[in-house]
Amino acid sequence: MNRRFLLTALPASLLTGAAPPPATIGIMGGEIDGTFMRVATDLTSVMNSDTLRVVPIVGKGSLQNIGDLLHLPGVDLALVATDALVYAREAKMYPGELSKIQYICKLYDQDVHVCARADIKALADLEGKPVNIDVEGAGTNLTARTVFATLGIKPDFRSEEPTIGQDKLRRGELAANVYAAGKPIRLFVNAPAGTGLHFLPIPSNEVLERNYLPGGLLTHADYPTLIPEDETVETIGVGVALAVFAWAPNTQRYRNLALFVDTFFTKFPELLKPPHHPKWHDVNLAAAQPGWTRFQPAADWLARHGPGSEPGSLQAGFDKFLAEKGVQNLTPAQRQATWQYFQDRMRGTTR
């Protein structure tokens, strides 16, 4: 029997008459102190109830998350950097299986951080020097190799966990420590002052922009001990998708995921409130992810609830509401959150 189906047996509660257990969904996160894991635990805090339980699992990065989503029993969701799926396809990993990976929504963009010692002033200075890029298979590892190869720079790569790499960087054993995750990252937020460590800028170019998002900025507000108050550091971004295993519609796992989608999208405004990760404010639930297939329950929910799907009078009311508040120029993520607020307001459920 395929091990992914071991959890589909009838629960004992159906035989005893007891209340059925909640629909349980495993989600692969990332390293314990990284953004992937914080996002996964945010979902747990908002969504868990008597009928649904989301279980976050510590992972080792995007590439392993792809494998775990395909093969590890109990895993239905995973956070995956979009360039990892591109790599898996090009490397012909998991032949015939990658089509089973779809997405519920694009989440946010990971910011590529290159933290370097004081004598390193630019990426080119890392030629031939020891640079940590996270463990093999991690999204950072794949991204760093691609970015440096694109720029024609050949560091001496080391593959250790970011926390270990940062300790070695402080001791002068490394020239830089690379980590791609949604800012602010605790690893760098908690960096002591006065060490001389700083971030290197990653200026974008036409070749990099084929796979990565330009124009990201790291600021003093993000990292007060590593960036002076009047400076910013240019960087690039890597998209992150909430990936899902495409179960067949007639299975219990599919029904569990349909419940997850409805709960996640409905409760999404709760994720915008503290103490949840600031990256939730960058999420646009309706944004398309090129090269991926949207999970059908997610596509159906968006078709029913997204701006423009309601009768003309309600859409006109929403447009009037934005005009009255003077907030016509919203980002897609802000518009989606405001639309949810407007719907709640019309139903009389807002405070």
Side-chain angles (χ1 to χ4, degrees), residues 79 137-138 154 179 233 237 289 334:
L79 277 74
K154 298 179 180 179
Y179 196 16
V233 179
Q289 180 57 55
Q334 290 170 332

Side-chain angles (χ1 to χ4, degrees), residues 116-149:
R117 65 192 189 205
D119 61 307
I120 305 295
K121 305 300 183 184
L123 291 176
D125 296 339
L126 296 174
E127 178 74 29
K129 293 184 174 63
V131 174
N132 187 59
I133 57 172
D134 206 344
V135 298
E136 294 290 341
T140 293
N141 192 293
L142 301 177
T143 297
R145 291 181 185 277
T146 301
V147 169
F148 280 111

Side-chain angles (χ1 to χ4, degrees), residues 27-41 56-65 68 79 108 110 132-141 158-165 177-182 185-188 277:
I27 177 171
M28 292 302 306
E31 292 153 339
I32 194 66
D33 203 37
T35 309
F36 274 20
M37 206 60 198
R38 289 190 63 189
V39 167
T41 54
I57 306 169
V58 175
K60 280 290 187 182
S62 292
L63 204 57
Q64 181 171 310
N65 281 4
D68 289 342
L79 277 74
Y108 59 90
Q110 295 193 101
N132 187 59
I133 57 172
D134 206 344
V135 298
E136 294 290 341
T140 293
N141 192 293
R158 309 295 171 85
S159 298
E160 298 188 273
E161 292 184 352
T163 51
I164 296 174
N177 187 33
V178 182
Y179 196 16
I185 303 171
R186 289 173 181 166
L187 177 66
F188 300 129
H277 198 283

